[in-house]
Amino acid sequence: MLSKQPKLTLVGAGPGDPELITLKAIRAIESADVILYDALVNKVLLEYSAEKALKIFVGKRAGLHSLIQTEINELIVEYALKNNHVVRLKGGDPMIFGRGQEEIEHAQSYGIETAIVPGISSAIAVPTLQHIPLTARGVSESFWVITATKANHEISKDIEIASQSSATVVILMGTQKIKEIVKIYQQQGKGNIGVAIIQNGTSENEKYVLGTIDTITEKAEDAQIGSPAVIVVGEVVKLHPKMLHASNLYQTQWV
Ligand SMILES: C[S@@+](CC[C@H](N)C(=O)[O-])C[C@H]1O[C@@H](n2cnc3c(N)ncnc32)[C@H](O)[C@@H]1O
């Protein structure tokens, strides 16, 4: 019998709904000897794996990203070098705020073959499922995807730059920073711009709030919105069916 070559495949598991995964991702899971999976991965997807496959949860703990990432890199190499096919299963797309590049580079530095299976990112799928178009003719010509929380836990400067444009802004890892985000937009005089916060998007326990920059903090607190959540800031939020309905009904600006 030919011995297998060490291999790492980064696989995007999609945003939560287990049907929002690619066929290629399922094939990779089926052929894995070891699966290292993240907290945001729907565990149902592990059912595609071989019974003998080792399934290891490597979910990151808030505040300890870099330490845990080093351990994950080491685990990948350790298992792959035993002639295993290691699948690194990540929420959404592995290259969008997924540290995919770091894992690929680390594995390659040990001569391990690597491959990538793209996934459907929460940044796109979560607003789309809520009928919020990230681009819409005459409303928004582009969208930015920004993390609110950088590695040093500070808010990204890009939010301030993006707030000056007319682009739709999709913010990940931002629920803890909502007050700071609101302040940035208010400083631009954009208190009436639409905002949606969608938690656990595409899953059974999805919940969301709609409002404006001026109203969203209170609404999010009332609805007890937590993580993981996608924040969408832009006039496209007003195209959400509930917002359109409200503005047609009362012929007034919704707040
Ligand atoms: C470390 S980033 C990973 C993003 C992922 N690679 C992707 O493409 O979706 C984690 C952040 O993604 C967002 N996120 C991921 N899945 C989500 C979901 N089902 N609903 C809402 N937000 C989600 C949240 O902002 C969360 O804090």
Side-chain angles (χ1 to χ4, degrees):
M1 198 173 102
L2 284 174
S3 77
K4 284 173 39 178
Q5 294 299 310
K7 183 171 177 181
L8 163 68
T9 307
L10 287 192
V11 176
D17 178 341
E19 293 193 353
L20 291 177
I21 189 165
T22 64
L23 282 176
K24 203 160 190 164
I26 291 172
R27 301 282 176 264
I29 295 170
E30 285 170 345
S31 74
D33 301 300
V34 180
I35 301 177
L36 304 177
Y37 64 97
D38 278 349
L40 289 176
V41 167
N42 192 319
K43 313 294 170 286
V44 168
L45 295 172
L46 299 174
E47 291 172 15
Y48 288 110
S49 63
E51 212 170 307
K52 61 176 177 27
L54 207 55
K55 295 159 252 288
I56 304 168
F57 175 72
V58 292
K60 291 174 184 168
R61 284 165 284 161
L64 289 174
H65 281 205
S66 51
L67 175 69
I68 299 296
Q69 188 60 51
T70 313
E71 290 171 359
I72 293 171
N73 289 349
E74 283 166 6
L75 276 181
I76 289 171
V77 169
E78 184 187 322
Y79 282 111
L81 290 181
K82 288 177 186 158
N83 288 348
N84 282 316
H85 178 203
V86 176
V87 160
R88 184 69 181 93
L89 194 56
K90 291 165 171 286
D93 182 277
M95 301 300 253
I96 298 184
F97 302 122
R99 302 202 170 195
Q101 183 60 22
E102 293 169 43
E103 293 176 8
I104 290 270
E105 278 177 15
H106 189 75
Q108 285 176 348
S109 73
Y110 284 81
I112 294 166
E113 181 192 338
T114 60
I116 305 183
V117 181
I120 300 176
S121 177
S122 63
I124 292 174
V126 170
T128 291
L129 202 68
Q130 274 297 334
H131 295 235
I132 298 172
L134 295 185
T135 65
R137 252 197 311 171
V139 184
S140 169
E141 295 162 17
S142 64
F143 63 89
W144 295 38
V145 180
I146 308 175
T147 175
T149 311
K150 298 196 301 179
N152 63 6
H153 307 296
E154 283 176 11
I155 191 157
S156 168
K157 275 257 181 268
D158 282 359
I159 295 180
E160 192 182 331
I161 301 168
S163 72
Q164 293 163 20
S165 81
S166 58
T168 305
V169 180
V170 180
I171 304 171
L172 304 189
M173 293 169 274
T175 32
Q176 305 295 317
K177 296 239 178 330
I178 191 67
K179 287 184 181 155
E180 289 170 72
I181 295 166
V182 161
K183 203 168 153 205
I184 289 169
Y185 274 84
Q186 283 171 336
Q187 280 165 350
Q188 299 294 330
K190 293 187 171 173
N192 192 40
I193 206 164
V195 185
I197 309 183
I198 309 148
Q199 181 186 2
N200 296 320
T202 83
S203 345
E204 283 166 2
N205 51 349
E206 173 175 298
K207 70 179 183 184
Y208 67 93
V209 281
L210 302 165
T212 62
I213 280 291
D214 286 343
T215 64
I216 200 68
T217 309
E218 199 180 328
K219 287 187 176 199
E221 275 169 13
D222 288 351
Q224 296 187 319
I225 296 281
S227 297
V230 166
I231 302 171
V232 185
V233 187
E235 289 305 282
V236 290
V237 172
K238 296 177 182 174
L239 300 175
H240 185 282
K242 279 195 177 162
M243 297 296 99
L244 274 181
H245 183 64
S247 59
N248 288 342
L249 261 185
Y250 306 113
Q251 308 272 303
T252 55
Q253 264 204 326
W254 58 275
V255 287

